[in-house]
Amino acid sequence: MAKESTQQQPNESDSRTRVTVLVALGANLLIAVAKAVGGLISGSPALLSEAAHSVADSLNEVFLLAALRRSRRPADRRHPFGYGKERFFWSLLAAVGIFVMGGCFSFFQGFEALKNGAEESFGGYVTGLVVLGVALLAEGASLLRALHQVRKQGGGSGGGLRDPALRTVVAEDGTAVLGVSFAIVGMVLHMVTGQVVYEASASLAIGALLVYVAYWLGRDARAQLIGEAADEELSGRIRAVLDAQPEIDSVEALLTMKMGLDSTLVAARIDLVPGLDSEVVEDVAVRIKRSVAHLVPEADQIFLDVTDASTARAAAREGRAAESPAATGERGGA
């Protein structure tokens, strides 16, 4: 049976995520300019590190907007399973951006400060601390917006944080709040003691934080790009639906793979109960797939390898492989 290509339309969750990303982008662009100007005026390595951090975050938000738009394109001949994995690809690029533009530059600023020192006037301290205070408020507001959406979408790794775009925004904003806090502490200690080591240490701490976040985001995106299985809860629901079908004697194998945020490929090898007429096996397979697609909407790519249990056992006794009377695949329970 021919598969039908369905247009994937942006849903309400995508619309909310897009607004969250745009809020973060606007905040980061303004903050990046303010930090850069303040860092150049004050000569603060910690403030310049934070400026690089905000530039990296701004670029990453552009990546995430591209992911939201491109991942909803419909399946076509070259990509018959759709473009859902675009989200994972652009999230990986965002992780690389955090590592290179944020983490590496922060390490550079920290080492340069330790090597050459950093002279700041009293006015420079005041300018830097004012900029960081405003940045802390803006980053905190953006983080609260992202966390609010996570809670509305179910919270945790099994809810709102399933979306790599939203997960990246939460990680970026959370890291930004911590990074600004490190920079403020470093600048204050530098101002009080006159020792640049405190501010240099703040830059190094910001760099270490960014490298860790980049690794965490990149590891997750890598797992999804190379073919991560559905979570145990979803796999259990699929298996339960299959086990409940009266025509199925046993589920010999069940394989799943995430194809996108709300798209899962399911491949199952099932044995049918004895006594079924071979002429109705195809109809039975279609009905089973429709049942799975109806009860588990995330399973929109379903492939069954159907065998007759009694035939399979007889073939095993005879030492020959049983041929499957029907191996069919269809999309969305069509």
Side-chain angles (χ1 to χ4, degrees):
M1 182 179 295
K3 297 180 185 178
E4 296 180 4
S5 175
T6 58
Q7 172 76 39
Q8 295 188 18
Q9 298 293 342
N11 54 28
E12 183 181 353
S13 174
D14 271 10
S15 298
R16 290 197 298 264
T17 300
R18 184 175 291 104
V19 171
T20 299
V21 173
L22 287 172
V23 169
L25 175 60
N28 280 318
L29 285 174
L30 292 175
I31 293 169
V33 173
K35 287 177 180 176
V37 173
L40 292 174
I41 292 174
S42 66
S44 166
L47 193 50
L48 289 173
S49 296
E50 274 299 300
H53 180 184
S54 293
V55 170
D57 285 352
S58 300
L59 181 61
N60 292 340
E61 259 88 59
V62 174
F63 289 159
L64 298 179
L65 289 173
L68 290 172
R69 180 177 62 84
R70 295 176 64 87
S71 66
R72 289 295 177 180
R73 289 184 295 170
D76 53 34
R77 185 178 297 276
R78 288 180 59 84
H79 297 87
F81 294 107
Y83 290 81
K85 288 193 175 186
E86 286 265 15
R87 291 198 186 219
F88 310 142
F89 170 73
W90 290 100
S91 295
L92 180 62
L93 289 188
V96 173
I98 292 173
F99 177 83
V100 175
M101 298 184 63
C104 292
F105 186 79
S106 295
F107 278 126
F108 171 76
Q109 284 294 319
F111 287 127
E112 280 292 300
L114 288 175
K115 179 180 178 183
N116 302 321
E119 296 295 331
E120 297 182 40
S121 64
F122 181 77
Y125 285 122
V126 173
T127 300
L129 290 173
V130 168
V131 169
L132 288 175
V134 173
L136 186 61
L137 293 175
E139 298 284 12
S142 179
L143 177 61
L144 289 175
R145 157 79 197 191
L147 291 176
H148 175 69
Q149 184 180 342
V150 170
R151 285 194 296 271
K152 288 188 68 174
Q153 293 181 203
S157 60
L161 290 184
R162 290 188 308 112
D163 187 342
L166 183 56
R167 183 168 57 245
T168 301
V169 171
V170 171
E172 286 180 350
D173 288 345
T175 304
V177 169
L178 285 176
V180 170
S181 300
F182 289 162
I184 290 175
V185 171
M187 289 187 69
V188 169
L189 290 176
H190 185 187
M191 179 176 64
V192 172
T193 66
Q195 300 295 317
V196 72
V197 65
Y198 293 108
E199 202 166 344
S201 297
S203 291
L204 295 175
I206 292 168
L209 180 64
L210 292 174
V211 168
Y212 172 76
V213 170
Y215 167 76
W216 178 69
L217 291 173
R219 181 187 61 183
D220 188 69
R222 170 185 173 274
Q224 293 168 324
L225 280 172
I226 64 177
E228 187 177 44
D231 58 67
E232 292 184 5
E233 188 272 338
L234 179 58
S235 296
R237 286 164 54 200
I238 295 171
R239 182 175 287 275
V241 173
L242 292 174
D243 287 338
Q245 304 304 308
E247 299 89 353
I248 295 180
D249 183 68
S250 63
V251 179
E252 297 299 315
L254 176 62
L255 304 177
T256 61
M257 183 169 65
K258 295 179 183 177
M259 303 302 296
L261 183 59
D262 299 308
S263 175
T264 302
L265 182 147
V266 178
R269 180 177 298 110
I270 58 176
D271 282 341
L272 299 182
V273 296
L276 285 180
D277 192 324
S278 61
E279 295 180 358
V280 303
V281 169
E282 181 73 19
D283 292 336
V284 167
V286 171
R287 190 197 63 75
I288 291 173
K289 285 182 288 185
R290 286 177 175 168
S291 296
V292 174
H294 175 70
L295 296 173
V296 188
E298 300 95 323
D300 64 342
Q301 302 282 354
I302 306 169
F303 297 85
L304 298 180
D305 182 9
V306 184
T307 60
D308 185 326
S310 60
T311 302
R313 285 192 291 268
R317 287 195 298 269
E318 296 173 7
R320 59 182 178 83
E323 296 183 356
S324 169
T328 59
E330 83 183 50
R331 186 185 180 91

